[in-house]
Amino acid sequence: MTKKEEQYKMRKWQILDIALNHFIQFGYYGTSTRKIAEEAGISSGLMFHYFPNKLALYESLVEIGCEKLTIDSGEGESPLLFFERQVEWFLSVATQNNFASRMFVFMGLVAINAKDISERVAQMMREHDVETMSVPYIEKGQELGVIRQGDPLTLSVLFYSSIQGFAETLVARDNLKLPEKEWFLAILKNDNKE
Amino acid sequence: MTKKEEQYKMRKWQILDIALNHFIQFGYYGTSTRKIAEEAGISSGLMFHYFPNKLALYESLVEIGCEKLTIDSGEGESPLLFFERQVEWFLSVATQNNFASRMFVFMGLVAINAKDISERVAQMMREHDVETMSVPYIEKGQELGVIRQGDPLTLSVLFYSSIQGFAETLVARDNLKLPEKEWFLAILKNDNKE
DNA sequence: TCTAATATTAAGCAACTGCTCAACATTTGT
DNA sequence: ACAAATGTTGAGCAGTTGCTTAATATTAGA
């Protein structure tokens, strides 16, 4: 790797990193490409040498998010173990303030208004729909009697909503302790009371 | 009430209603006062006759949200019944597309980035902090053994996050069925297994 | 070392932003 | 009927937006 290529990659990641913060804090429309460039210490014009336009920069982040946050299916895994792994992964990521954890919050916000930004973003989010991807695990768990009865998609959405909702609150609040993983799993678990 | 006063109130509410949609869809910075005026069928200048500036319009909505979404404390009510009422209220509001349900989503989004918009908004949200207001109910439920052990604030935040998170997803997705209220309450309920 | 490719800047364009203001229209209380 | 108050418009200002482009600095490969 030449010196030029090295700096190219570094700059590109630096821009992505700063842009991620801005998109989280101000949203898509509230984010200014000029201010991103300013914070990166480069001219506004140079930004468009790395990314053709603002939307492409945003879409790059969504694309990275889709790659990084993909769940590995875990062949033949027990349903409850699968969801336990999901919670564990979130809890391990939530406390840090690195790229991954910010990306997590970002993707949650993207999910809310993906369709208002671009068709490409909407489609990426559709293809990377963790909620529907987890439905088979719910159904399997229901057959085994370890997951409560009810519409599988709704259960899945509620489970991930609780994680996502908590992650968002975590950004806004300081000094908030982390929940136990059982608290999330209680949403899904069959209580065997009847 | 004179004809003039009547129209004044109507226009004011019309602007608030349209603004609510725009703030939800585009966020604070992405919302254009001109476009709100256009949608209301009035000139841009007239908007600032009803609201001194964009921030005041936003703050008006937050203020209304704080009033409308306040929980009535329910003297001496059983803790689980209290949270059950919260869920019931959400479920009754969630399906409609009226002012109240949109306001619900709006207030959730405000909570995420209140501090980046104005100190007044931040303070209103602090004073109207349902999560901390519900902590006594959690503690009482823990004493009675009906609510699981653990940090009360964290439990409270997780409970409301799940509602808020689901509400947000509900806006983005169509054809999503509503959860049973027990699914939310399972987060709090003591499972009495040991 | 020289040329082709790339990195980088600064100026600038057209469109949009929140907001003001002078002018005119309408309604109100008298 | 009249004057004060209020409703309403449209032009416009200063600042910002995303983005382009001509000019220059730097690097890479021959």
Side-chain angles (χ1 to χ4, degrees):
Chain A
M1 181 128 63
T2 70
K3 190 175 166 187
K4 222 169 189 175
E5 285 171 324
E6 210 164 332
Q7 191 169 22
Y8 180 88
K9 274 210 169 184
M10 240 189 57
R11 274 268 156 81
K12 193 155 188 170
W13 272 109
Q14 186 198 12
I15 294 171
L16 283 168
D17 192 68
I18 294 168
L20 182 60
N21 288 337
H22 282 240
F23 282 132
I24 289 175
Q25 193 166 10
F26 306 111
Y28 179 76
Y29 301 105
T31 293
S32 151
T33 54
R34 262 187 171 82
K35 280 175 188 158
I36 293 174
E38 195 182 338
E39 199 173 321
I42 59 176
S43 71
S44 162
L46 189 54
M47 264 230 43
F48 297 95
H49 179 70
Y50 287 88
F51 299 92
N53 50 49
K54 183 182 174 181
L55 182 58
L57 173 56
Y58 187 85
E59 287 176 340
S60 288
L61 281 170
V62 176
E63 201 173 352
I64 293 166
C66 284
E67 285 168 17
K68 290 223 169 184
L69 271 58
T70 292
I71 47 175
D72 40 330
S73 55
E75 280 297 323
E77 191 176 19
S78 138
L80 274 183
L81 250 163
F82 168 79
F83 291 107
E84 199 175 332
R85 267 204 305 126
Q86 302 288 103
V87 178
E88 267 169 7
W89 179 83
F90 159 65
L91 290 176
S92 73
V93 132
T95 41
Q96 304 152 30
N97 193 31
N98 53 16
F99 192 82
S101 63
R102 278 179 288 133
M103 183 52 91
F104 187 84
V105 177
F106 173 70
M107 291 300 279
L109 298 173
V110 173
I112 300 175
N113 38 25
K115 61 179 183 301
D116 298 319
I117 289 172
S118 86
E119 179 51 40
R120 174 131 186 271
V121 171
Q123 181 161 357
M124 277 195 284
M125 295 306 284
R126 247 179 274 130
E127 283 169 10
H128 182 76
D129 184 354
V130 202
E131 284 94 339
T132 29
M133 277 168 58
S134 300
V135 162
Y137 288 93
I138 304 261
E139 286 167 340
K140 194 176 159 197
Q142 288 176 329
E143 283 172 30
L144 296 170
V146 292
I147 289 183
R148 73 169 78 238
Q149 291 304 309
D151 180 60
L153 181 60
T154 311
L155 265 168
S156 176
V157 166
L158 178 56
F159 174 74
Y160 287 105
S161 295
S162 71
I163 295 179
Q164 189 57 52
F166 194 87
E168 284 168 11
T169 318
L170 206 60
V171 177
R173 276 176 187 265
D174 325 332
N175 307 328
L176 187 60
K177 290 180 190 164
L178 285 184
E180 305 286 327
K181 60 182 174 183
E182 280 79 19
W183 303 359
F184 294 98
L185 293 171
I187 296 169
L188 300 176
K189 266 188 183 163
N190 195 349
D191 48 8
N192 296 316
K193 283 233 172 108
E194 41 206 349
Chain B
M1 180 127 65
T2 69
K3 189 175 166 187
K4 223 169 189 175
E5 285 172 323
E6 210 166 332
Q7 190 169 25
Y8 181 87
K9 275 210 169 183
M10 239 190 58
R11 273 269 157 80
K12 194 154 189 174
W13 272 108
Q14 187 198 12
I15 293 171
L16 283 168
D17 192 68
I18 294 168
L20 182 60
N21 288 337
H22 282 239
F23 282 131
I24 289 175
Q25 193 166 11
F26 306 111
Y28 179 77
Y29 302 105
T31 293
S32 152
T33 55
R34 264 187 171 81
K35 280 177 188 158
I36 293 174
E38 195 182 338
E39 199 174 322
I42 59 177
S43 70
S44 163
L46 189 54
M47 264 230 42
F48 296 95
H49 180 71
Y50 287 88
F51 299 93
N53 50 49
K54 183 183 175 180
L55 182 58
L57 174 57
Y58 186 85
E59 287 176 339
S60 288
L61 281 170
V62 176
E63 201 173 352
I64 293 166
C66 284
E67 285 168 17
K68 289 224 170 185
L69 272 58
T70 293
I71 47 174
D72 40 332
S73 54
E75 281 296 322
E77 192 178 19
S78 139
L80 273 183
L81 249 163
F82 169 80
F83 290 108
E84 198 174 333
R85 267 203 306 126
Q86 302 288 105
V87 177
E88 267 169 6
W89 179 81
F90 160 66
L91 290 176
S92 73
V93 133
T95 40
Q96 304 152 29
N97 192 31
N98 53 16
F99 192 82
S101 64
R102 277 179 289 133
M103 183 52 91
F104 187 84
V105 177
F106 173 70
M107 290 301 280
L109 298 173
V110 173
I112 300 175
N113 38 24
K115 61 181 184 301
D116 299 319
I117 290 173
S118 86
E119 180 49 40
R120 173 133 186 270
V121 171
Q123 180 160 358
M124 279 196 283
M125 296 305 284
R126 247 179 274 131
E127 283 169 10
H128 182 77
D129 184 354
V130 203
E131 284 93 340
T132 28
M133 277 168 58
S134 301
V135 163
Y137 288 93
I138 303 262
E139 286 167 341
K140 194 176 160 196
Q142 288 176 328
E143 283 172 29
L144 296 171
V146 293
I147 289 183
R148 72 170 74 236
Q149 291 304 309
D151 179 60
L153 181 60
T154 311
L155 265 168
S156 177
V157 166
L158 179 55
F159 174 75
Y160 287 105
S161 296
S162 70
I163 295 179
Q164 190 58 52
F166 193 87
E168 284 167 10
T169 318
L170 205 60
V171 177
R173 277 176 186 264
D174 326 331
N175 307 327
L176 186 59
K177 290 180 191 166
L178 285 185
E180 306 285 328
K181 59 181 174 182
E182 280 78 21
W183 303 359
F184 293 98
L185 294 171
I187 296 168
L188 301 176
K189 267 188 183 164
N190 195 349
D191 49 7
N192 297 315
K193 284 237 172 103
E194 39 207 349

